[in-house]
Amino acid sequence: MSRHIALLRGINVGGQKKVPMAALRALFESLGYSDVVTLIQSGNAVFSAAGAVSSVDLEAAIATEFGFDVTVVMRTPRQLREIVDRNPFAREKPAALHVGFMAHEPAAAAVKQLDTDRFRPDEFAIKGTEIYAHLPNGLGRSKLLPYLDRQLKTPTTVRNWNTVNKLLELC
């Protein structure tokens, strides 16, 4: 059995795409996964599986169960540990840090054309399939992550640094 982390994009935000965490756990268990744990209401599930896990299969099951499409981004505990370890903003206050988990690596040309100074004092770094964001004035006031989402054209779901570390603890 191996552990997996499923990160659902855009659920339970502003009353849209409501997914009760108890129902999400039950869905994962009905798919044959075990030791399912959810963290807060934003769609974080840590679970064990005997074989391979497909985000496409999870997305289809969620669409069938809840009646809407949701992007599911998958990571392993090892990947999550590497994400935490390579944080380029480790010296900044944790409350100002966020990680955008992308469904796939963005095109190099899209990354190259990004305006890195446009949203100062907000700053970011892209490492593989993650966007590290330092947002000193908070996520709610920042225009950086919506800009990156539009420019990179890669489904991304964002978690604050506290949540990233709690997910790692659950693994």
Side-chain angles (χ1 to χ4, degrees), residues 86-93 97-98 123-125 132-134:
R86 68 180 185 216
N87 175 12
F89 303 114
R91 290 197 164 105
E92 302 297 342
K93 293 180 182 176
L97 301 179
H98 296 77
E123 55 189 335
F124 69 95
Y132 294 86
H134 172 236

Side-chain angles (χ1 to χ4, degrees), residues 19-131:
V19 177
M21 293 301 98
L24 184 63
R25 284 190 301 274
L27 174 62
F28 275 59
E29 289 167 353
S30 76
L31 297 171
Y33 304 130
S34 60
D35 303 317
V36 181
V37 180
T38 56
L39 176 66
I40 65 175
Q41 295 296 313
S42 61
N44 307 293
V46 178
F47 60 97
S48 296
V53 177
S54 163
S55 61
V56 173
D57 292 344
L58 288 173
E59 290 167 352
I62 291 167
T64 299
E65 181 71 20
F66 299 107
F68 47 78
D69 293 329
V70 171
T71 298
V72 177
V73 178
M74 301 293 301
R75 295 294 185 266
T76 65
R78 180 178 172 199
Q79 289 170 322
L80 201 56
R81 166 51 57 203
E82 290 170 359
I83 290 163
V84 168
D85 288 347
R86 68 180 185 216
N87 175 12
F89 303 114
R91 290 197 164 105
E92 302 297 342
K93 293 180 182 176
L97 301 179
H98 296 77
V99 177
F101 296 88
M102 294 183 278
H104 54 82
E105 196 164 338
V111 173
K112 186 176 181 180
Q113 61 84 33
L114 293 172
D115 184 348
T116 58
D117 295 321
R118 182 173 175 182
F119 299 96
R120 293 275 179 205
D122 295 348
E123 55 189 335
F124 69 95
I126 297 173
K127 295 187 177 234
T129 55
E130 275 67 50
I131 300 169

